[in-house]
Amino acid sequence: MERARVGSSGLEVSRLALGTMTWSRDTNADEAGQQLDAFLDAGGSLLDTAASYADGGSESLIGAMLGGTVSRRDVQVCTKAGIKRTARGGVIDASRDTLLGTLDESLERLGTDYVDLWLVHAYDAVTPLEETLHALEIAVNSGRARYVGVSNFPAWAMSRIATMATGRPAIAATQVEYSLLQRGIEREVVPAAEALGMGILGWSPLGRGVLTGKYRDAIPADSRAASEHLSGFVAPYMGQRAGAVVSALETAAEGLGWSPLETALAWVLGRPGLASAIVGARTAAQLTPALAAADLDLPPAIGDALDEVSAPVLGYPERR
């Protein structure tokens, strides 16, 4: 598997990252271990997790693996902080105290003294960006994080914190949802990231599983859409517009002799500025086709056709 530079930083990551949101909850230790083995065998390196995934269970499971047969030198760990669990549910909190406290807890669960990439999980409209940036600066200067970035930030806030970081550790990456079914970042996030030298990590490149085509006729009993805690995650992409994109994707895939999954991944991996696409699976068998797609090149004519059918709505001021 090829590697790519994350923006203008010195960080290089595998073109596919292994997402671990379901680890320790829907994916047990045995299945997670098989996924990681297959991922590393394919040349992958970047593991994506977060302190909030399974309330820390994902990080703990990764830590158990790193303390066992997997060498820390063979993997790059990206984790996120800034979503705090309360009696009312998840609350966004990017204060310095919460971020650094969460990072220390993450490092303990992961069984390591540093992470390769540490991200603020979501934009906090209450905490001043200067305070959030100070936490990122402390993390780098203390050696607890090699690189830092943001996740799910609107373009203006991403640009603001990146420009505020002049003379301090740079904001190297932005992690955002990106697929044929979610191209909203192309309006402002992508051009802003390019101008600021930030790399893009795309989560859910398969449209929350919908772009695999498995929901065309029914909802499989073992799928995310049938899951009590993930059905709401998939629901936004089960409508008529998504159906038209999936239909076009299936036609393109058939002409190429590929699967819809391979075609959707090849499309997103060819997008400007994208350093890595984060793929997650419940089982190793589900992960294998994605790993095989990492080296596929989508013919330009097919890419143009998929661009047209999935184009995001643009208006003022992006387009006049």
Side-chain angles (χ1 to χ4, degrees), residues 26-221:
D26 302 312
T27 302
N28 62 32
D30 289 340
E31 283 286 358
Q34 292 176 36
Q35 285 188 35
L36 184 55
D37 287 344
F39 180 66
L40 295 177
D41 287 345
S45 62
L46 182 61
L47 298 183
D48 181 77
T49 186
S52 59
Y53 291 172
D55 293 329
S58 171
E59 291 180 330
S60 295
L61 187 48
I62 293 171
M65 294 177 182
L66 295 181
T69 58
V70 178
S71 170
R72 178 68 178 87
R73 295 189 300 272
D74 292 336
V75 299
Q76 297 167 301
V77 178
C78 170
T79 194
K80 299 176 283 290
I83 295 181
K84 184 169 62 177
R85 296 296 176 189
T86 70
R88 306 189 311 275
V91 174
I92 297 172
D93 183 353
S95 64
R96 180 171 50 243
D97 181 61
T98 292
L99 288 177
L100 292 175
T102 302
L103 176 58
D104 288 338
E105 292 168 357
S106 291
L107 293 174
E108 183 175 358
R109 285 190 291 264
L110 289 164
T112 184
D113 56 4
Y114 74 96
V115 292
D116 299 272
L117 180 60
W118 187 47
L119 307 177
V120 182
H121 205 155
Y123 170 65
D124 181 350
V126 176
T127 302
L129 281 173
E130 171 61 37
E131 181 174 335
T132 298
L133 178 59
H134 191 209
L136 298 178
E137 182 179 20
I138 291 171
V140 173
N141 291 343
S142 65
R144 286 177 278 182
R146 298 284 172 84
Y147 295 89
V148 291
V150 297
S151 176
N152 303 309
F153 267 46
W156 75 265
M158 179 192 82
S159 300
R160 178 63 177 148
I161 196 170
T163 54
M164 289 170 63
T166 302
R168 303 156 90 168
I171 306 300
T174 181
Q175 187 179 118
V176 282
E177 184 175 4
Y178 199 17
S179 75
L180 280 164
L181 294 181
Q182 180 51 272
R183 295 177 59 187
I185 66 167
E186 293 178 11
R187 290 192 293 269
E188 293 189 341
V189 170
V190 171
E194 181 181 8
L196 294 163
M198 297 170 63
I200 298 169
L201 307 178
W203 61 265
S204 205
L206 295 175
R208 310 188 184 190
V210 174
L211 290 171
T212 63
K214 64 184 176 183
Y215 298 117
R216 288 286 283 164
D217 301 317
I219 297 177

Side-chain angles (χ1 to χ4, degrees), residues 173-308:
T174 181
Q175 187 179 118
V176 282
E177 184 175 4
Y178 199 17
S179 75
L180 280 164
L181 294 181
Q182 180 51 272
R183 295 177 59 187
I185 66 167
E186 293 178 11
R187 290 192 293 269
E188 293 189 341
V189 170
V190 171
E194 181 181 8
L196 294 163
M198 297 170 63
I200 298 169
L201 307 178
W203 61 265
S204 205
L206 295 175
R208 310 188 184 190
V210 174
L211 290 171
T212 63
K214 64 184 176 183
Y215 298 117
R216 288 286 283 164
D217 301 317
I219 297 177
D222 61 347
S223 67
R224 289 182 176 184
S227 166
E228 180 179 350
H229 51 269
L230 287 174
S231 59
F233 179 68
V234 180
Y237 297 152
M238 300 288 280
Q240 185 175 356
R241 180 184 180 277
V245 174
V246 172
S247 179
L249 178 67
E250 290 178 333
T251 299
E254 184 178 358
L256 291 166
W258 298 355
S259 68
L261 178 152
E262 290 172 324
T263 310
L265 274 181
W267 178 88
V268 80
L269 286 170
R271 305 307 291 176
L274 187 92
S276 187
I278 303 166
V279 292
R282 187 174 54 83
T283 68
Q286 292 174 347
L287 178 65
T288 300
L291 299 177
D295 299 320
L296 295 175
D297 291 320
L298 194 67
I302 299 295
D304 290 344
L306 291 174
D307 284 354
E308 183 176 352

